[in-house]
Amino acid sequence: MSEQGKSSTSASAAAPPPGSDTYKGWLFKWTNYLKGYQRRWFVLSNGLLSYYRTQAEMAHTCRGTINLATAHIDTEDACNIVLSSGGRTYHLKASTEVERQRWVTALELAKAKAIRNTVNLSDESEDEEPASKSDRSEIQGTLKILVSKLDDLSTCNDLIAKHGAALQRSLSELEGLKVPVEGGEKIKAVNERATLFRITSNAMINACRDFLELAETHSRRWQRALQYERDQRTHLEETIEQLAKQHNSLERAWREAPTLASSTASVPTNKKGSERPLKEDASDEDEDTEYFDAMEDSPAFITVTATDNTQHRRSQSSLSGASGGNSYDWNQDDHISPNCNDVSGKELPPRRQRRTRVPDKPNYSLNLWSIMKNCIGKELSKIPMPVNFNEPLSMLQRLTEDLEYHELLDKAARCDSSLEQMCLVAAFSVSSYSTTIHRTAKPFNPLLGETYELDRLEEFGYRSLCEQVSHHPPAAAHHVISQRGWTLWQEITIASKFRGKYLSIMPLGSIHLQFHSSGNHYVWRKVTSTVHNIIVGKLWIDQSGDIEIVNHKTKETCQLKFSPYSYFSRDVPRKVTGVVTDSGGQAHYILSGTWDEKIESAKIIQSSRGGSGSEGKQKTIYQTLSPKLLWKKYPLPENAENMYYFSALALTLNEPDEGVGLTDSRLRPDQRLMEEGRWDEANSEKQRLEEKQRAVRRKREAEASDALDEECDNDSGREYEGYHPLWFHQRRDSITGETSFVYKGGYWEAKERQDWTICPDIY
């Protein structure tokens, strides 16, 4: 028998025998499918069965109560007990059959007694909306205590009346005796006081009885009032949520209006014919400002709305401009270097027409719990998953989606100021999360040696290559080179854990970005992604954590904070805040926005010390210019909800392309079958590919073992080199000191020759 079972038996054995008013002991209670039966301390008293996690909780926290007067008691097997009352059911288990019989006897006796006691105390009616069972039990328990106290008072009243009558008789007898006149007066006074005492005690008893009747009369009204307040609160929360959604939709619709879209897409200039507002005088900067209030050690800023002092000034001027509360486009910033707005690198129209849709997602149902219950605590990459949980893209293609807003890097490459360049790099780092807001499906795990290329050299001036360089742990290397002045590379290892209610995805590894002309080298890491409501409810994803972007050439930094989503928070959902500082720690720019919508930048023109905050820390107040729009999310394509919520770029990632490597993700058969809606065939093909990969790994491990045996038997034995990626090799980074996979070259040359003889057969 387990330790819990032993303690359960001993605890119950020490409890009062069945039939007494109180019975206590340990039982095992069914909680849920994740935790199963859990040991709880049960107390049976006054017809109520309550339970606690520990005996110490009896003083302050009751985990649940069931009223035996309306409960049904059932025994499933030798040790199980089932209690049900209304919509509440307790599945209990005793350590032994003898112990279960003791509890059943105690419960039956308590139920019979509770029924007798509640015949005249029931105040529930069929046409009344009942309160919750716990509230009803609590009120009934309170009434029972009041009745018990009233019975005690009645008993005391009877005793007082009995002894008072005896006292009066004795006093009357004393009055009949021949006593001095003074003694007779004293006895008469005592007799009157005894009579007054009896009257007062009767009045007290009557008042207590009236109080109990009043409590019984109003208990129903209290329950209905409490239920009404709960309903109103629930309705208010639902209304607020609907209003928030409608406000968000209206705001997006307004921002995506044709007039705004055309003005945002165009590159404003100061030449004749420009439609954008003219710049204001430099002397107006001190008036047209906003204020940001921040903790000294945190990039989470509180915006203090400033009074618009520019209205009167502008009414006297012939210059037109946006209001101080609106955000400008980055190109309209009068403190940005002219090269940042250079249109010489303006993108040419695409030479190839890319696809704009994929087949609609089939509506297949699947029992999620039957799969997930065996996966708790395991590495996600080691769990066999059907394609029902996937989207028809691989992890390498999802990694390539970071280039959705590559034009931010094109613009940053033209900046003369490294601080302005840092703002654009920060906006680019945030923009990579904008495609994840609705993308709760899991990408395909790449096979070892799988690659993915994205050649947009003619259209956008860059080429991208990804390769799965390791399988355990899964790691992918990515390299992008652009003719517009920048190179990006990264090695990402995805660590993921299923926690029962949510899924945590932790990207490990650094992202490197270098600009060719300036030599500025930026390094940062990704934040943690969390998928909520894995078992019950609608899936939703959130990003949380901090990003530190460091320019290792100038030592300038940007601290970004991704605030976790909270329904009850007053902050904007999916909020991102940040501050850009120079090498000396002085702040120059404030960044704010959301990771699914936009990022703005505000230049700091003055900072001052403010008062102490709620935590006693002194705040810094930043006085800034009006915010400038750095990045804004593209609207999703039409019918995106039926196409896995793919963005315009994501729709083209798995589009068949001629001349790609034999290991390219576009050629993966299970992924292609899923995109075409043939999910059953895709599941079979996915299992075949995974088994093929396991067979190759077992063969590789056998070769390594044989090489080790030969080396032990013969000093001149061969050394097994193991697996090496085709297009990447490991090198130590001179800046971070980390060892990572970097591009060694050769892929694009092989593509030009169409020589793929070195590619393994992984499909």
Side-chain angles (χ1 to χ4, degrees), residues 325-358:
N326 291 342
S327 60
Y328 294 78
D329 187 90
W330 177 265
N331 295 331
Q332 297 173 332
D333 193 350
D334 55 0
H335 56 264
I336 296 301
S337 302
N339 286 346
C340 285
N341 303 330
D342 183 13
V343 296
S344 60
K346 186 176 180 180
E347 298 170 354
L348 298 175
R351 297 185 180 180
R352 173 181 170 181
Q353 186 67 30
R354 304 286 177 179
R355 70 179 184 180
T356 58
R357 63 173 295 106
V358 296

mmCIF file of all heavy atoms in Angstrom, residues 325-358:
data_model
loop_
_atom_site.group_PDB
_atom_site.id
_atom_site.type_symbol
_atom_site.label_atom_id
_atom_site.label_comp_id
_atom_site.label_asym_id
_atom_site.label_seq_id
_atom_site.Cartn_x
_atom_site.Cartn_y
_atom_site.Cartn_z
ATOM 1 N N GLY A 325 -1.400 64.657 -32.354
ATOM 2 C CA GLY A 325 -1.667 63.305 -31.890
ATOM 3 C C GLY A 325 -1.487 62.260 -32.946
ATOM 4 O O GLY A 325 -1.493 61.076 -32.660
ATOM 5 N N ASN A 326 -1.360 62.650 -34.214
ATOM 6 C CA ASN A 326 -1.216 61.674 -35.290
ATOM 7 C C ASN A 326 0.237 61.278 -35.461
ATOM 8 O O ASN A 326 1.150 62.003 -35.102
ATOM 9 C CB ASN A 326 -1.734 62.246 -36.619
ATOM 10 C CG ASN A 326 -3.232 62.425 -36.609
ATOM 11 O OD1 ASN A 326 -3.906 61.828 -35.758
ATOM 12 N ND2 ASN A 326 -3.743 63.232 -37.510
ATOM 13 N N SER A 327 0.444 60.106 -36.053
ATOM 14 C CA SER A 327 1.802 59.626 -36.289
ATOM 15 C C SER A 327 2.190 59.891 -37.733
ATOM 16 O O SER A 327 1.402 59.718 -38.650
ATOM 17 C CB SER A 327 1.890 58.126 -35.989
ATOM 18 O OG SER A 327 1.006 57.422 -36.810
ATOM 19 N N TYR A 328 3.414 60.304 -37.922
ATOM 20 C CA TYR A 328 3.949 60.573 -39.247
ATOM 21 C C TYR A 328 4.592 59.329 -39.801
ATOM 22 O O TYR A 328 4.997 58.437 -39.085
ATOM 23 C CB TYR A 328 5.031 61.665 -39.184
ATOM 24 C CG TYR A 328 4.535 63.026 -38.786
ATOM 25 C CD1 TYR A 328 4.264 63.324 -37.457
ATOM 26 C CD2 TYR A 328 4.346 64.006 -39.739
ATOM 27 C CE1 TYR A 328 3.833 64.572 -37.089
ATOM 28 C CE2 TYR A 328 3.912 65.267 -39.376
ATOM 29 C CZ TYR A 328 3.667 65.548 -38.050
ATOM 30 O OH TYR A 328 3.236 66.778 -37.690
ATOM 31 N N ASP A 329 4.734 59.293 -41.106
ATOM 32 C CA ASP A 329 5.568 58.271 -41.721
ATOM 33 C C ASP A 329 7.024 58.595 -41.438
ATOM 34 O O ASP A 329 7.412 59.747 -41.291
ATOM 35 C CB ASP A 329 5.305 58.220 -43.232
ATOM 36 C CG ASP A 329 6.030 57.067 -43.884
ATOM 37 O OD1 ASP A 329 5.446 55.974 -43.961
ATOM 38 O OD2 ASP A 329 7.169 57.285 -44.309
ATOM 39 N N TRP A 330 7.838 57.543 -41.367
ATOM 40 C CA TRP A 330 9.257 57.740 -41.060
ATOM 41 C C TRP A 330 9.910 58.692 -42.057
ATOM 42 O O TRP A 330 10.762 59.500 -41.732
ATOM 43 C CB TRP A 330 9.959 56.383 -41.079
ATOM 44 C CG TRP A 330 11.433 56.448 -40.848
ATOM 45 C CD1 TRP A 330 12.423 56.487 -41.756
ATOM 46 C CD2 TRP A 330 12.079 56.504 -39.578
ATOM 47 N NE1 TRP A 330 13.639 56.554 -41.149
ATOM 48 C CE2 TRP A 330 13.463 56.558 -39.817
ATOM 49 C CE3 TRP A 330 11.618 56.518 -38.266
ATOM 50 C CZ2 TRP A 330 14.392 56.614 -38.788
ATOM 51 C CZ3 TRP A 330 12.556 56.567 -37.244
ATOM 52 C CH2 TRP A 330 13.923 56.616 -37.513
ATOM 53 N N ASN A 331 9.498 58.632 -43.326
ATOM 54 C CA ASN A 331 10.113 59.469 -44.349
ATOM 55 C C ASN A 331 9.780 60.942 -44.175
ATOM 56 O O ASN A 331 10.435 61.798 -44.756
ATOM 57 C CB ASN A 331 9.650 59.016 -45.741
ATOM 58 C CG ASN A 331 10.138 57.626 -46.061
ATOM 59 O OD1 ASN A 331 11.177 57.215 -45.569
ATOM 60 N ND2 ASN A 331 9.385 56.900 -46.869
ATOM 61 N N GLN A 332 8.761 61.254 -43.381
ATOM 62 C CA GLN A 332 8.377 62.638 -43.174
ATOM 63 C C GLN A 332 9.108 63.271 -42.002
ATOM 64 O O GLN A 332 8.896 64.434 -41.701
ATOM 65 C CB GLN A 332 6.874 62.736 -42.928
ATOM 66 C CG GLN A 332 6.052 62.276 -44.113
ATOM 67 C CD GLN A 332 4.583 62.224 -43.773
ATOM 68 O OE1 GLN A 332 4.221 62.029 -42.632
ATOM 69 N NE2 GLN A 332 3.747 62.396 -44.768
ATOM 70 N N ASP A 333 9.944 62.524 -41.353
ATOM 71 C CA ASP A 333 10.629 63.024 -40.157
ATOM 72 C C ASP A 333 11.680 64.044 -40.564
ATOM 73 O O ASP A 333 12.576 63.745 -41.342
ATOM 74 C CB ASP A 333 11.281 61.840 -39.420
ATOM 75 C CG ASP A 333 11.723 62.219 -38.035
ATOM 76 O OD1 ASP A 333 11.686 63.422 -37.737
ATOM 77 O OD2 ASP A 333 12.111 61.316 -37.273
ATOM 78 N N ASP A 334 11.573 65.237 -39.981
ATOM 79 C CA ASP A 334 12.511 66.277 -40.358
ATOM 80 C C ASP A 334 13.864 66.116 -39.694
ATOM 81 O O ASP A 334 14.750 66.927 -39.927
ATOM 82 C CB ASP A 334 11.931 67.663 -40.035
ATOM 83 C CG ASP A 334 11.535 67.770 -38.576
ATOM 84 O OD1 ASP A 334 11.718 66.782 -37.848
ATOM 85 O OD2 ASP A 334 11.044 68.844 -38.176
ATOM 86 N N HIS A 335 14.031 65.085 -38.852
ATOM 87 C CA HIS A 335 15.344 64.876 -38.256
ATOM 88 C C HIS A 335 15.964 63.575 -38.743
ATOM 89 O O HIS A 335 16.894 63.064 -38.131
ATOM 90 C CB HIS A 335 15.247 64.888 -36.722
ATOM 91 C CG HIS A 335 14.270 63.890 -36.183
ATOM 92 N ND1 HIS A 335 12.984 64.237 -35.877
ATOM 93 C CD2 HIS A 335 14.387 62.572 -35.900
ATOM 94 C CE1 HIS A 335 12.335 63.182 -35.425
ATOM 95 N NE2 HIS A 335 13.167 62.158 -35.430
ATOM 96 N N ILE A 336 15.483 63.038 -39.848
ATOM 97 C CA ILE A 336 16.047 61.836 -40.427
ATOM 98 C C ILE A 336 17.001 62.202 -41.559
ATOM 99 O O ILE A 336 16.746 63.123 -42.326
ATOM 100 C CB ILE A 336 14.938 60.913 -40.943
ATOM 101 C CG1 ILE A 336 14.085 60.448 -39.766
ATOM 102 C CG2 ILE A 336 15.485 59.712 -41.684
ATOM 103 C CD1 ILE A 336 14.859 59.712 -38.704
ATOM 104 N N SER A 337 18.072 61.438 -41.659
ATOM 105 C CA SER A 337 19.061 61.715 -42.693
ATOM 106 C C SER A 337 18.424 61.638 -44.068
ATOM 107 O O SER A 337 17.580 60.782 -44.323
ATOM 108 C CB SER A 337 20.208 60.702 -42.595
ATOM 109 O OG SER A 337 20.800 60.768 -41.311
ATOM 110 N N PRO A 338 18.847 62.494 -44.998
ATOM 111 C CA PRO A 338 18.263 62.471 -46.340
ATOM 112 C C PRO A 338 18.460 61.140 -47.037
ATOM 113 O O PRO A 338 17.607 60.701 -47.807
ATOM 114 C CB PRO A 338 19.009 63.607 -47.051
ATOM 115 C CG PRO A 338 19.503 64.501 -45.962
ATOM 116 C CD PRO A 338 19.789 63.601 -44.799
ATOM 117 N N ASN A 339 19.581 60.465 -46.761
ATOM 118 C CA ASN A 339 19.833 59.195 -47.444
ATOM 119 C C ASN A 339 18.823 58.127 -47.074
ATOM 120 O O ASN A 339 18.606 57.178 -47.819
ATOM 121 C CB ASN A 339 21.249 58.700 -47.127
ATOM 122 C CG ASN A 339 22.305 59.518 -47.862
ATOM 123 O OD1 ASN A 339 21.970 60.267 -48.781
ATOM 124 N ND2 ASN A 339 23.547 59.384 -47.447
ATOM 125 N N CYS A 340 18.207 58.239 -45.877
ATOM 126 C CA CYS A 340 17.188 57.265 -45.484
ATOM 127 C C CYS A 340 15.977 57.358 -46.396
ATOM 128 O O CYS A 340 15.240 56.393 -46.555
ATOM 129 C CB CYS A 340 16.754 57.496 -44.037
ATOM 130 S SG CYS A 340 17.972 56.939 -42.827
ATOM 131 N N ASN A 341 15.763 58.543 -46.972
ATOM 132 C CA ASN A 341 14.610 58.764 -47.837
ATOM 133 C C ASN A 341 14.963 58.717 -49.308
ATOM 134 O O ASN A 341 14.155 59.074 -50.153
ATOM 135 C CB ASN A 341 13.979 60.125 -47.524
ATOM 136 C CG ASN A 341 13.581 60.236 -46.066
ATOM 137 O OD1 ASN A 341 13.258 59.228 -45.450
ATOM 138 N ND2 ASN A 341 13.627 61.435 -45.520
ATOM 139 N N ASP A 342 16.180 58.303 -49.597
ATOM 140 C CA ASP A 342 16.622 58.239 -50.984
ATOM 141 C C ASP A 342 15.789 57.219 -51.746
ATOM 142 O O ASP A 342 15.645 56.080 -51.315
ATOM 143 C CB ASP A 342 18.105 57.857 -51.025
ATOM 144 C CG ASP A 342 18.657 57.851 -52.441
ATOM 145 O OD1 ASP A 342 17.961 58.377 -53.321
ATOM 146 O OD2 ASP A 342 19.769 57.324 -52.629
ATOM 147 N N VAL A 343 15.258 57.631 -52.866
ATOM 148 C CA VAL A 343 14.399 56.740 -53.644
ATOM 149 C C VAL A 343 15.151 56.115 -54.808
ATOM 150 O O VAL A 343 14.549 55.515 -55.685
ATOM 151 C CB VAL A 343 13.176 57.518 -54.186
ATOM 152 C CG1 VAL A 343 12.328 58.007 -53.048
ATOM 153 C CG2 VAL A 343 13.608 58.683 -55.081
ATOM 154 N N SER A 344 16.485 56.249 -54.792
ATOM 155 C CA SER A 344 17.250 55.662 -55.893
ATOM 156 C C SER A 344 17.156 54.155 -55.902
ATOM 157 O O SER A 344 17.315 53.518 -56.931
ATOM 158 C CB SER A 344 18.722 56.085 -55.782
ATOM 159 O OG SER A 344 19.264 55.639 -54.550
ATOM 160 N N GLY A 345 16.911 53.584 -54.712
ATOM 161 C CA GLY A 345 16.772 52.130 -54.641
ATOM 162 C C GLY A 345 15.335 51.685 -54.699
ATOM 163 O O GLY A 345 14.977 50.650 -54.158
ATOM 164 N N LYS A 346 14.498 52.452 -55.337
ATOM 165 C CA LYS A 346 13.065 52.121 -55.407
ATOM 166 C C LYS A 346 12.864 50.775 -56.086
ATOM 167 O O LYS A 346 13.473 50.480 -57.113
ATOM 168 C CB LYS A 346 12.325 53.210 -56.183
ATOM 169 C CG LYS A 346 10.817 53.018 -56.176
ATOM 170 C CD LYS A 346 10.124 54.165 -56.873
ATOM 171 C CE LYS A 346 8.619 53.985 -56.859
ATOM 172 N NZ LYS A 346 7.932 55.094 -57.532
ATOM 173 N N GLU A 347 11.996 49.952 -55.486
ATOM 174 C CA GLU A 347 11.811 48.592 -55.972
ATOM 175 C C GLU A 347 11.130 48.591 -57.341
ATOM 176 O O GLU A 347 10.187 49.345 -57.585
ATOM 177 C CB GLU A 347 10.981 47.803 -54.966
ATOM 178 C CG GLU A 347 11.659 47.670 -53.618
ATOM 179 C CD GLU A 347 10.724 47.099 -52.574
ATOM 180 O OE1 GLU A 347 9.542 46.935 -52.906
ATOM 181 O OE2 GLU A 347 11.193 46.824 -51.474
ATOM 182 N N LEU A 348 11.636 47.718 -58.213
ATOM 183 C CA LEU A 348 11.046 47.553 -59.531
ATOM 184 C C LEU A 348 9.831 46.647 -59.442
ATOM 185 O O LEU A 348 9.737 45.816 -58.543
ATOM 186 C CB LEU A 348 12.076 46.958 -60.494
ATOM 187 C CG LEU A 348 13.333 47.814 -60.737
ATOM 188 C CD1 LEU A 348 14.322 47.043 -61.619
ATOM 189 C CD2 LEU A 348 12.969 49.134 -61.389
ATOM 190 N N PRO A 349 8.908 46.757 -60.366
ATOM 191 C CA PRO A 349 7.747 45.863 -60.362
ATOM 192 C C PRO A 349 8.193 44.418 -60.530
ATOM 193 O O PRO A 349 9.165 44.135 -61.233
ATOM 194 C CB PRO A 349 6.924 46.345 -61.565
ATOM 195 C CG PRO A 349 7.409 47.726 -61.838
ATOM 196 C CD PRO A 349 8.843 47.763 -61.434
ATOM 197 N N PRO A 350 7.515 43.473 -59.885
ATOM 198 C CA PRO A 350 7.893 42.064 -60.023
ATOM 199 C C PRO A 350 7.817 41.617 -61.475
ATOM 200 O O PRO A 350 6.891 41.956 -62.209
ATOM 201 C CB PRO A 350 6.839 41.340 -59.156
ATOM 202 C CG PRO A 350 6.332 42.384 -58.220
ATOM 203 C CD PRO A 350 6.391 43.672 -58.966
ATOM 204 N N ARG A 351 8.835 40.841 -61.870
ATOM 205 C CA ARG A 351 8.870 40.339 -63.243
ATOM 206 C C ARG A 351 8.077 39.047 -63.382
ATOM 207 O O ARG A 351 7.801 38.614 -64.487
ATOM 208 C CB ARG A 351 10.321 40.099 -63.673
ATOM 209 C CG ARG A 351 11.164 41.369 -63.713
ATOM 210 C CD ARG A 351 12.545 41.085 -64.252
ATOM 211 N NE ARG A 351 13.368 42.302 -64.294
ATOM 212 C CZ ARG A 351 14.621 42.321 -64.738
ATOM 213 N NH1 ARG A 351 15.194 41.203 -65.167
ATOM 214 N NH2 ARG A 351 15.301 43.448 -64.748
ATOM 215 N N ARG A 352 7.763 38.435 -62.270
ATOM 216 C CA ARG A 352 7.018 37.180 -62.330
ATOM 217 C C ARG A 352 5.750 37.319 -61.508
ATOM 218 O O ARG A 352 5.761 37.856 -60.407
ATOM 219 C CB ARG A 352 7.867 36.032 -61.795
ATOM 220 C CG ARG A 352 7.100 34.732 -61.676
ATOM 221 C CD ARG A 352 7.966 33.628 -61.115
ATOM 222 N NE ARG A 352 7.172 32.455 -60.797
ATOM 223 C CZ ARG A 352 7.666 31.329 -60.268
ATOM 224 N NH1 ARG A 352 8.958 31.246 -60.029
ATOM 225 N NH2 ARG A 352 6.877 30.316 -59.991
ATOM 226 N N GLN A 353 4.683 36.819 -62.039
ATOM 227 C CA GLN A 353 3.406 36.861 -61.342
ATOM 228 C C GLN A 353 3.336 35.700 -60.359
ATOM 229 O O GLN A 353 3.313 34.531 -60.759
ATOM 230 C CB GLN A 353 2.249 36.774 -62.341
ATOM 231 C CG GLN A 353 0.875 36.954 -61.709
ATOM 232 C CD GLN A 353 0.663 38.368 -61.173
ATOM 233 O OE1 GLN A 353 1.227 39.319 -61.699
ATOM 234 N NE2 GLN A 353 -0.120 38.490 -60.111
ATOM 235 N N ARG A 354 3.347 36.009 -59.058
ATOM 236 C CA ARG A 354 3.304 34.975 -58.024
ATOM 237 C C ARG A 354 1.845 34.607 -57.726
ATOM 238 O O ARG A 354 0.931 35.403 -57.952
ATOM 239 C CB ARG A 354 3.980 35.473 -56.747
ATOM 240 C CG ARG A 354 5.423 35.932 -56.935
ATOM 241 C CD ARG A 354 6.360 34.773 -57.125
ATOM 242 N NE ARG A 354 7.733 35.230 -57.365
ATOM 243 C CZ ARG A 354 8.753 34.409 -57.546
ATOM 244 N NH1 ARG A 354 8.555 33.094 -57.518
ATOM 245 N NH2 ARG A 354 9.954 34.886 -57.774
ATOM 246 N N ARG A 355 1.650 33.412 -57.178
ATOM 247 C CA ARG A 355 0.290 32.979 -56.879
ATOM 248 C C ARG A 355 -0.260 33.759 -55.685
ATOM 249 O O ARG A 355 0.495 34.190 -54.802
ATOM 250 C CB ARG A 355 0.252 31.479 -56.614
ATOM 251 C CG ARG A 355 0.908 31.032 -55.316
ATOM 252 C CD ARG A 355 0.787 29.527 -55.154
ATOM 253 N NE ARG A 355 1.327 29.079 -53.882
ATOM 254 C CZ ARG A 355 1.340 27.799 -53.485
ATOM 255 N NH1 ARG A 355 0.856 26.850 -54.279
ATOM 256 N NH2 ARG A 355 1.833 27.466 -52.303
ATOM 257 N N THR A 356 -1.552 33.895 -55.643
ATOM 258 C CA THR A 356 -2.216 34.690 -54.599
ATOM 259 C C THR A 356 -3.169 33.865 -53.741
ATOM 260 O O THR A 356 -3.884 34.436 -52.912
ATOM 261 C CB THR A 356 -3.006 35.843 -55.242
ATOM 262 O OG1 THR A 356 -3.964 35.299 -56.162
ATOM 263 C CG2 THR A 356 -2.071 36.794 -55.960
ATOM 264 N N ARG A 357 -3.201 32.552 -53.920
ATOM 265 C CA ARG A 357 -4.048 31.723 -53.094
ATOM 266 C C ARG A 357 -3.542 30.284 -53.099
ATOM 267 O O ARG A 357 -2.743 29.891 -53.963
ATOM 268 C CB ARG A 357 -5.502 31.755 -53.544
ATOM 269 C CG ARG A 357 -5.796 31.223 -54.922
ATOM 270 C CD ARG A 357 -7.300 31.148 -55.175
ATOM 271 N NE ARG A 357 -7.935 30.174 -54.289
ATOM 272 C CZ ARG A 357 -8.683 30.501 -53.239
ATOM 273 N NH1 ARG A 357 -8.896 31.751 -52.933
ATOM 274 N NH2 ARG A 357 -9.228 29.561 -52.484
ATOM 275 N N VAL A 358 -3.981 29.523 -52.117
ATOM 276 C CA VAL A 358 -3.730 28.088 -52.032
ATOM 277 C C VAL A 358 -5.083 27.417 -51.838
ATOM 278 O O VAL A 358 -6.075 28.078 -51.486
ATOM 279 C CB VAL A 358 -2.774 27.745 -50.865
ATOM 280 C CG1 VAL A 358 -1.400 28.345 -51.092
ATOM 281 C CG2 VAL A 358 -3.355 28.192 -49.525
#
